[in-house]
């Protein structure tokens, strides 16, 4: 139905929105999506509904699968299985889209262009082609009307969220926060110009980093909805992982060693992306990583390349490639979803790793606070206490024994419960790390990513540790201490004088003292109100009893009774309302 609506070009925007709204309402009711999503239950029903609703919702689900700070782990796992159910655009449509975007005919740019795509997803489809100089490339062309459909769906989404604010807060998530996050991510995803820039930067930073290769992006041939990159041979790394071991023990041992080297290369490159480049691939699932084995002549020609340009922390550096590389390569694809870290966030990650080694809960908590945004009032002592209880089982483990992705997922939930929200860059990194760890675990079940990453973290610390700065800081602290020594007797004398003259004040802070004082204030208010009501009732009783012959005074006593009754009812209702709110 989504495809039919896209193809009704003769209908006006209002009619399209109405048709789309009816479709969305039907699917939402069929899968009970609103209730399930807000309560974070039945993730499979939501996934089926997203697949039925088409490109926008499929992409939303794929984005949410990378955001454990927005949805539960059960949802992130289920959304990672989303399948693109889209029709393939005919070649005439592809020609028209290419002409509209580039101003050129396909035949003007390519010597050969396959009319049938070899892949199609929710946003676009991909074709093989040859440039005029014989270079093999792939051309990704966005489906027509995708942007219009996304804009329509997001506007309807916004109206639904506005309506949901009218009702009571019954969920465990904030729909408006999710809407803002996915809107930004979705419009970034469908803007191919951003992917072009990402692809160019990732190519400069990682191509020919050992066995890692990256397709070249042809920015001059690409456009807002067109992406042209060099063709990279190979198949998804999942096929390499699924290859059975040989029955010959010697060959099987060689296969295991080779897979271990591939795993090490992936981990080392990923750690380099994070700690050196501060720019990492945020969606390294098996479909975006290719494996290719070359024959002897092809690999010999590739290994002749001994030097290449590399940007390291913004500066171009010439590096020398190894001449003894093996006969296989691993290739990264798809740069629509990338993560970028600031130096402060990288330092925060390092501090968490170091704090985990120290096993000091308070130090770990301080490191976590440095990479979180505060969404409300934070009771740090309560957070440290809960974190200590949570981390206790992990304290007896080494870093190599810790399931870091699961640990981070749970820490994010703990933070959310304490009005702390992990920064989006961190949650993207967690998801990326977890995806890659799944591949590593299949390549080499005995390898621990942290064991390979530790030397890089050590190198990072050494590089950022300045003996000169540390000595200067220590010397300054020592000088301040020496300078303060002669004043210690005077300070002690002043302290004694304060005690003897009765000018001393001691400030004591109680845990939860603000709540205690608020409750105490309520008790005092109720006590005063009760005394006033008792006096009013007693006075009214005296007036009623002694005023049978004076109607005006009698009515005054009765009025006192009525006022007392109304105030008591209001106090009871107010008490019930407060209890109801607390239970919610």
């Amino acid at each position: 139905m989504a495809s039919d609506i896209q193809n009704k070009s003769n209908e006006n925007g209002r009619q399209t929105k109405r048709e789309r709204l009816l479709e969305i309402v039907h699917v939402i009711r069929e899968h009970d999506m609103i209730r399930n999503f807000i309560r974070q239950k039945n993730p499979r029903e939501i996934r089926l509904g997203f697949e039925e609703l088409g490109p926008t919702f499929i992409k939303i689900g794929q984005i949410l699968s990378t955001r454990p700070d927005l949805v539960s782990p059960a949802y992130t796992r289920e959304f990672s299985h989303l399948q693109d159910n889209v029709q393939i655009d005919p070649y005439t449509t592809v020609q028209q889209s290419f002409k509209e975007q580039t101003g050129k005919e396909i035949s003007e740019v390519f010597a050969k262009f396959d009319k049938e795509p070899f892949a199609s997803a929710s946003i676009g489809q991909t074709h093989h082609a040859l440039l005029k100089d014989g270079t093999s490339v792939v051309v990704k062309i966005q489906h027509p009307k995708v942007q219009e459909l996304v804009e329509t769906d997001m506007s309807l989404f916004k109206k639904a969220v506005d309506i949901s604010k009218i009702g009571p807060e019954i969920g465990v998530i904030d729909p408006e926060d999710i809407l803002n996050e996915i809107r930004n991510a979705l419009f970034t995803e469908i803007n191919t110009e951003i992917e072009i820039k990402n692809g160019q930067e990732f190519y400069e930073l990682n191509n020919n980093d050992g066995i890692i290769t990256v397709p070249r992006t042809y920015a001059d041939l690409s456009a807002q909805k067109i992406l042209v990159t060099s063709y990279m041979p190979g198949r998804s790394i999942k096929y390499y992982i699924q290859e059975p071991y040989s029955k010959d023990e010697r060959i099987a041992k060689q296969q295991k060693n080779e897979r271990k080297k591939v795993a090490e290369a992936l981990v080392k490159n990923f750690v380099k992306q994070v700690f050196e480049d501060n720019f990492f691939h945020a969606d390294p699932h098996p479909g975006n990583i290719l494996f290719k084995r070359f024959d002897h002549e092809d690999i010999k020609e590739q290994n002749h390349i001994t030097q290449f340009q590399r940007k390291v922390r913004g500066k171009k550096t010439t590096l020398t490639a190894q001449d003894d590389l093996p006969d296989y390569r691993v290739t990264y694809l798809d740069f629509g979803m990338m993560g970028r870290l600031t130096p402060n966030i990288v330092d925060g990650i390092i501090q968490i790793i170091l704090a985990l080694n120290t096993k000091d809960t308070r130090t770990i908590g301080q490191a976590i606070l440095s990479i979180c945004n505060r969404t409300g009032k934070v009771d740090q002592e309560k957070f440290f206490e809960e974190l200590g209880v949570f981390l206790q089982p992990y304290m007896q483990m080494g870093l190599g024994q810790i399931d870091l992705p699961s640990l981070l997922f749970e820490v994010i939930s703990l933070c959310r419960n304490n009005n702390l929200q992990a920064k989006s860059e961190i949650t993207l990194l967690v998801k990326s790390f977890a995806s890659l760890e799944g591949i590593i675990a299949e390549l080499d079940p005995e390898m621990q990513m942290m064991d390979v990453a530790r030397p890089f973290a050590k190198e990072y610390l050494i590089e950022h540790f300045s003996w000169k700065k540390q000595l200067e800081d220590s010397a300054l602290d020592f000088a301040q201490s020496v300078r303060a020594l002669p004043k210690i007797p005077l300070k002690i004398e002043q302290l004694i004088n304060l005690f003897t003259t009765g000018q001393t004040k001691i400030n004591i802070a109680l845990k939860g003292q603000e709540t205690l004082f608020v409750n105490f204030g309520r008790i005092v208010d109720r006590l005063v109100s009760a005394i006033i009501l008792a006096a009013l009732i007693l006075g009214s009783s005296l007036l009623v009893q002694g005023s049978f012959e004076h109607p005006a005074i009698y009515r005054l006593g009765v009025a006192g009774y009525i006022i007392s009754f109304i105030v008591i009812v209001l106090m009871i209702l107010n008490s019930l309302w407060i209890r109801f709110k607390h239970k919610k």
Side-chain angles (χ1 to χ4, degrees):
M1 186 178 289
S3 300
D4 294 338
I5 291 173
Q6 290 181 50
N7 294 329
K8 293 179 180 179
S9 58
N10 60 335
E11 296 182 3
N12 58 42
R14 183 176 300 176
Q15 181 67 23
T16 302
K17 279 192 176 183
R18 186 160 60 249
E19 293 280 348
R20 181 61 173 165
L21 178 60
L22 290 174
E23 179 190 15
I24 292 173
V25 169
H26 171 73
V27 175
I28 285 176
R29 291 180 62 184
E30 183 180 358
H31 296 278
D32 198 12
M33 291 175 67
I34 293 178
R35 190 196 306 269
N36 285 329
F37 189 73
I38 292 180
R39 294 182 177 179
Q40 292 291 277
K41 294 181 179 180
N42 302 320
R44 183 175 179 275
E45 285 296 315
I46 303 298
R47 176 178 65 80
L48 294 175
F50 278 9
E51 288 178 350
E52 192 171 341
L53 287 171
T56 304
F57 288 84
I58 290 173
K59 187 53 64 177
I60 287 173
Q62 291 170 347
I63 290 169
L64 287 177
S65 73
T66 69
R67 297 301 304 272
D69 58 322
L70 297 179
V71 293
S72 67
Y75 266 63
T76 60
R77 287 192 295 270
E78 188 66 35
F79 286 167
S80 66
H81 301 310
L82 275 165
Q83 300 295 319
D84 294 315
N85 299 319
V86 294
Q87 295 182 355
I88 294 175
D89 297 326
Y91 182 62
T92 53
T93 302
V94 171
Q95 285 180 307
Q96 182 179 353
S97 297
F98 190 86
K99 179 68 178 294
E100 289 175 354
Q101 287 293 307
T102 65
K104 298 179 181 179
E105 299 289 347
I106 287 179
S107 57
E108 296 179 50
V109 179
F110 304 103
K112 181 183 177 183
F113 190 96
D114 288 356
K115 295 184 178 181
E116 293 295 323
F118 67 88
S120 183
S122 57
I123 300 299
Q125 60 190 49
T126 312
H127 298 254
H128 285 298
L130 283 178
L131 296 179
K132 295 292 186 179
D133 63 2
T135 302
S136 294
V137 295
V138 293
V139 184
K140 181 178 177 182
I141 300 181
Q142 194 173 114
H143 295 304
K145 306 296 183 183
V146 162
Q147 185 163 348
E148 292 84 346
L149 181 63
V150 168
E151 289 173 351
T152 297
D153 288 349
M154 292 311 296
S155 66
L156 294 174
F157 225 148
K158 177 68 167 60
K159 290 179 181 178
V161 169
D162 291 340
I163 293 172
S164 71
K165 293 178 184 177
I166 299 173
E169 295 182 7
I170 59 172
V172 296
I173 60 172
D174 186 343
E176 188 168 13
D177 283 349
I178 290 186
L179 175 66
N180 293 332
E181 292 284 348
I182 63 178
R183 182 198 288 116
N184 295 335
L186 191 54
F187 282 109
T188 298
E189 187 81 6
I190 64 175
N191 187 351
T192 305
E193 291 177 345
I194 295 176
E195 186 173 353
I196 293 169
K197 293 177 182 177
N198 289 340
Q200 288 177 307
E201 184 173 358
F202 197 80
Y203 175 86
E204 292 180 0
L205 292 170
N206 296 284
N207 189 47
N208 289 329
D209 180 28
I211 65 169
I212 304 296
T213 58
V214 181
R216 177 187 171 190
T217 299
Y218 292 87
D220 56 328
L221 302 179
S222 302
Q224 202 270 330
K225 297 182 180 180
I226 307 289
L227 177 64
V228 181
T229 62
S230 58
Y231 167 71
M232 305 300 288
R235 294 200 305 167
S236 167
I237 198 169
K238 71 179 180 181
Y239 296 109
Y240 173 68
I241 293 171
Q242 291 168 357
E243 288 178 4
Y245 286 117
S246 171
K247 294 182 179 179
D248 186 320
E249 290 186 6
R250 184 181 62 83
I251 297 176
K253 185 177 180 180
Q254 291 177 349
Q255 288 177 309
K256 289 181 180 178
N257 288 336
E258 181 181 275
R259 292 188 185 185
K260 182 176 182 178
K261 289 179 180 178
V262 172
E264 287 180 352
L266 282 170
V267 174
K268 288 180 179 179
N269 176 260
F270 182 75
V271 173
K272 181 191 79 69
Q273 293 175 35
V274 174
F275 291 114
E276 292 187 15
D277 306 336
N278 303 157
F279 181 69
F280 62 92
H281 198 296
D283 194 21
H285 63 75
N288 284 339
I289 300 177
L290 305 182
F291 179 87
K292 172 65 177 176
R293 193 182 302 280
F294 294 88
D295 59 37
H296 180 70
E297 292 300 321
D298 288 341
I299 203 67
K300 185 177 179 182
E301 181 180 346
Q302 287 198 24
N303 285 345
H304 281 165
I305 302 174
T306 57
Q307 289 188 335
F308 55 95
Q309 293 290 325
R310 174 67 47 77
K311 277 187 179 179
V312 179
R313 294 184 186 84
K315 298 180 180 179
K316 278 194 175 181
T317 306
T318 300
L319 301 177
T320 303
Q322 299 178 21
D323 291 326
D324 57 348
L325 292 175
D327 64 349
Y328 52 81
R329 294 291 182 270
V330 175
T331 304
Y332 273 103
L333 301 176
D334 192 353
F335 309 108
M337 191 179 296
M338 306 295 291
R340 194 178 297 277
L341 304 173
T342 65
N344 287 339
I345 290 179
V346 174
D347 287 338
I349 295 169
I350 289 289
Q351 292 305 318
I352 291 177
I353 294 174
L354 292 176
L356 286 172
N357 266 333
T358 65
K359 300 182 179 180
D360 182 349
T361 302
R362 185 169 290 271
T363 304
I364 297 171
Q366 292 289 0
I368 292 174
L369 287 174
S370 70
I371 61 169
C372 288
N373 296 320
R374 304 192 179 205
T375 59
K377 187 174 179 56
V378 177
D379 185 340
Q380 290 193 16
E381 293 305 319
K382 174 176 172 289
F383 172 65
F384 292 152
E385 183 180 334
E386 292 180 1
L387 184 65
V389 173
F390 167 73
L391 290 178
Q392 193 60 41
Y394 295 97
M395 292 301 187
Q396 308 305 319
M397 304 180 188
L399 279 181
Q401 300 173 287
I402 296 174
D403 181 1
L404 200 59
S406 297
L407 171 65
L408 292 173
F409 278 137
E410 294 179 35
V411 169
I412 287 172
S413 298
L414 178 64
C415 289
R416 187 189 297 119
N417 294 335
N418 284 274
N419 294 326
L420 294 167
Q421 183 182 51
K423 294 178 180 177
S424 59
E425 301 95 321
I426 297 296
T427 53
L428 202 58
L429 177 60
V430 170
K431 176 61 180 178
S432 179
F433 188 92
S435 298
L436 190 62
E437 192 190 49
I439 297 174
I440 301 305
E442 293 189 83
L443 285 170
D444 183 8
E446 297 179 0
M447 178 182 293
Q448 297 292 339
M449 287 187 70
M450 290 307 301
D451 291 338
V452 182
R454 192 176 290 108
F456 281 82
K458 180 181 177 181
E459 181 182 341
Y460 178 89
L461 288 173
I462 292 173
E463 183 177 335
H464 288 74
F465 181 82
S466 170
W467 280 106
K468 182 178 178 181
K469 184 177 183 299
Q470 291 297 321
L471 288 173
E472 287 176 353
D473 290 345
S474 299
L476 184 60
D477 291 341
F478 180 74
Q480 293 286 354
S481 300
V482 170
R483 186 177 179 183
L485 279 174
K487 299 179 181 179
I488 291 178
L490 179 61
K491 296 287 185 183
I492 294 175
E493 181 183 357
Q494 290 173 347
L495 181 62
I496 294 172
N497 289 335
L498 287 174
F499 276 113
T500 56
T501 57
Q503 300 178 33
T504 309
K505 290 192 300 183
I506 298 177
N507 294 323
I508 299 176
L510 300 175
K511 184 177 181 180
Q513 64 181 14
E514 291 186 8
T515 304
L516 179 63
F517 289 149
V518 168
N519 291 334
F520 182 72
R522 287 176 181 167
I523 292 172
V524 172
D525 290 342
R526 289 172 184 269
L527 184 59
V528 172
S529 299
I531 292 172
I532 294 173
L533 282 172
L536 182 60
I537 293 171
L538 181 61
S540 298
S541 299
L542 293 174
L543 290 174
V544 170
Q545 281 187 347
S547 60
F548 290 109
E549 298 178 359
H550 302 279
I553 297 176
Y554 177 81
R555 284 195 292 271
L556 183 61
V558 172
Y561 276 132
I562 294 172
I563 292 171
S564 300
F565 176 76
I566 293 173
V567 171
I568 290 171
V569 170
L570 291 175
M571 289 178 66
I572 293 172
L573 291 176
N574 181 60
S575 178
L576 292 174
W577 172 247
I578 291 173
R579 290 185 182 183
F580 175 73
K581 283 181 66 179
H582 285 181
K583 284 182 179 180
K584 284 175 66 179

